[in-house]
Structure formats: structure tokens, C-alpha cells
Amino acid sequence: MTGTTGSPLSAWTKRPRVLPGARARLFCVPHGGGGPSSFARWVPALAPDVEVCLVHLPGREGRLREEPLTDLRLIAARLAEAMAPLLDLPYAFFGHSMGAIIAYETALLLDEPPCHLFASASPPPHRVEEEPPFAHLPDAEFLAAVRRSYDGIPDAVWNDPELMGLMLPSLRADFAAYETYRWRPTGPLDCPVTALGGKDDPLVPGETLTDWSQLTSGDCRTEMFEGGHFYLNEARPRLQELVREALGTTDPAPKGRG
């Protein structure tokens, strides 16, 4: 089977380390403009009990030549199809920023609910606010607006015109997808949710994160960390610990990993 881009659906999920003895799988969904490498360091840290599957959207990294999608529900539908063969184990989502909305929409489509959803640096879908769109702006204005709002792109990337040129289509497509997304009332998720955020993130304050509780019939907890919108870069060890606890794989990772 193939997705709308013509690539096999298996292209949507990378399994850098297949673990036959894993007790669960974690599907990591990156932020807007991000690729699967955003979570590469999670792969060895959660082995051998948790197999990390990296969600790989078209238009970035190994799928750079493909047309990026601009509809979050279409992205979720393609991802749900790609995940189907991998749901023979208990599984969870970890979605960061826009990735949390994709994870939520994907979870609604799957016959077997996740055993946990980690929603990182994202308002719950029903609290996504309509803001003046800027995905349509000329390149320079668009990138200036992105830089004013987000701090996740390193200076080395900003200062490399060729690299920014490669990232621009997927970044613009993701912002267009987010700007046009509107939540549709539906039944609650049938799984626990952990809402995560940075204490200094002006985009997603703690009081907004708590409203994820309105979208699940399971327990919902909020965890705040030092840092801004991309707090997870520094908080990774604690986040991985939370994942292991939620999936019942609390044994520490082997030394030398992480």
C-alpha cells in the first residue's frame, strides 16, 4: 500500500532498532518542520524493553523529495494506516508541539487505543487558537515570523541559506496545516494522558496544558520542566523515565546508553 505521495506506507515509521523482545512500542511524532532525527537519541535509551518508532513525514530528511502535506487529518490518516502492522504490542505516542495534535488525531482513528499519550508543548486540540496566519508570507517574512515565535532551530541552521532552503517547504507546509486545523468534537480518548511543557514557554502555559484532561476518559497529569518550547532537549532523561514508568518498563537502561 502507498500513501498519497506514492511512497510505501512503511516510509511513515522508521524502526532504527528492531527489538524482538520489546514489551511495548513508542511512536515519536516530531514538531512542525522536524524530522525523525529529533528523537534519534531516544532509541538506545529506551531499549531493550521499548522499541522506539520514529514518525517520518514526507518532505523532510530521507523523504525530502516528496511533497509535504498541509492537512493534519490527512497526515493522521496516513500515519494510522502505516502503524497498523505495528500494533501487535502495547503502544504509546510521544508528540511534541504540532506532533501532539497529530498523535491525538491518529489515536482517534486506530481500533486499538494507545496505552498512553504524551502531549508535549502543545495546547489540547480544542484550545488551539486561531491566530493571524503567516504560512503564506514571502520567504523572508515567513522565516522572521517563525523565528519570533519558536526557538527550536539552531543558529547554525538559520545562518546556512542552503540548509534553510531545504527545510523551508516542509516548515511552511506544517505551519499551513496547523493554521487550518480545527478540532471536531468527538468521544474522549480511552487512555491516560501526560501533558508536558516548559515553564518559560510563552506559547503553551501550564494552565493550558491542564485542559488535556477534558479530552480523555483516563487519568491526566501535567509535568512542567525548566526551559521554553523546546525544553525536552535538556529534560530528555526525565522524559524517558516517565515513558518507562507509563509503559511498565521501569528497569534502568543499560549503562553507556542514552
Side-chain angles (χ1 to χ4, degrees):
M1 296 179 65
T2 61
T4 55
T5 60
S7 286
L9 285 169
S10 58
W12 286 72
T13 53
K14 294 186 66 174
R15 300 170 69 193
R17 183 176 294 184
V18 177
L19 301 175
R23 290 189 274 165
R25 290 193 175 100
L26 178 70
F27 290 86
C28 295
V29 194
H31 59 277
S37 64
S38 302
F39 288 97
R41 296 179 69 181
W42 289 59
V43 176
L46 293 177
D49 294 319
V50 180
E51 181 180 286
V52 176
C53 300
L54 307 177
V55 173
H56 193 179
L57 304 185
R60 61 218 75 201
E61 297 185 17
R63 304 183 69 185
L64 193 62
R65 295 182 182 274
E66 299 178 42
E67 189 74 21
L69 301 178
T70 57
D71 184 319
L72 288 189
R73 287 192 175 83
L74 179 57
I75 292 171
R78 295 293 173 265
L79 178 56
E81 289 180 81
M83 289 176 57
L86 300 174
L87 302 186
D88 55 322
L89 293 176
Y91 74 97
F93 282 108
F94 191 107
H96 183 70
S97 196
M98 188 187 81
I101 306 296
I102 294 174
Y104 165 84
E105 289 289 344
T106 304
L108 293 176
L109 298 174
L110 295 169
D111 293 334
E112 187 68 27
C115 59
H116 209 99
L117 169 63
F118 293 90
S120 172
S122 172
H126 65 303
R127 290 288 305 275
V128 172
E129 298 179 358
E130 295 185 36
E131 297 180 358
F134 57 79
H136 65 286
L137 295 174
D139 291 353
E141 295 175 48
F142 169 70
L143 291 174
V146 172
R147 195 163 196 182
R148 281 195 302 271
S149 301
Y150 295 88
D151 59 357
I153 300 178
D155 288 340
V157 177
W158 283 112
N159 297 328
D160 186 331
E162 184 176 356
L163 192 53
M164 282 305 303
L166 292 173
M167 288 183 57
L168 186 59
S170 62
L171 193 62
R172 188 187 291 279
D174 285 351
F175 273 86
Y178 191 80
E179 288 172 358
T180 56
Y181 173 77
R182 298 293 180 270
W183 178 69
R184 297 173 184 170
T186 186
L189 293 172
D190 187 21
C191 70
V193 173
T194 300
L196 308 153
K199 295 178 182 178
D200 301 320
D201 183 358
L203 301 172
V204 191
E207 58 268 24
T208 299
L209 287 172
T210 61
D211 286 345
W212 276 96
S213 63
Q214 299 170 17
L215 298 183
T216 179
S217 61
D219 294 334
C220 184
R221 61 188 284 197
T222 302
E223 293 268 354
M224 301 298 293
F225 298 84
E226 299 296 332
H229 193 65
F230 286 86
Y231 75 93
L232 76 172
N233 295 327
E234 287 71 35
R236 188 178 67 255
R238 173 55 183 155
L239 295 174
Q240 291 164 350
E241 183 182 345
L242 289 174
V243 168
R244 286 192 291 267
E245 291 172 357
L247 297 180
T249 58
T250 54
D251 294 339
K255 291 182 179 181
R257 292 180 172 178

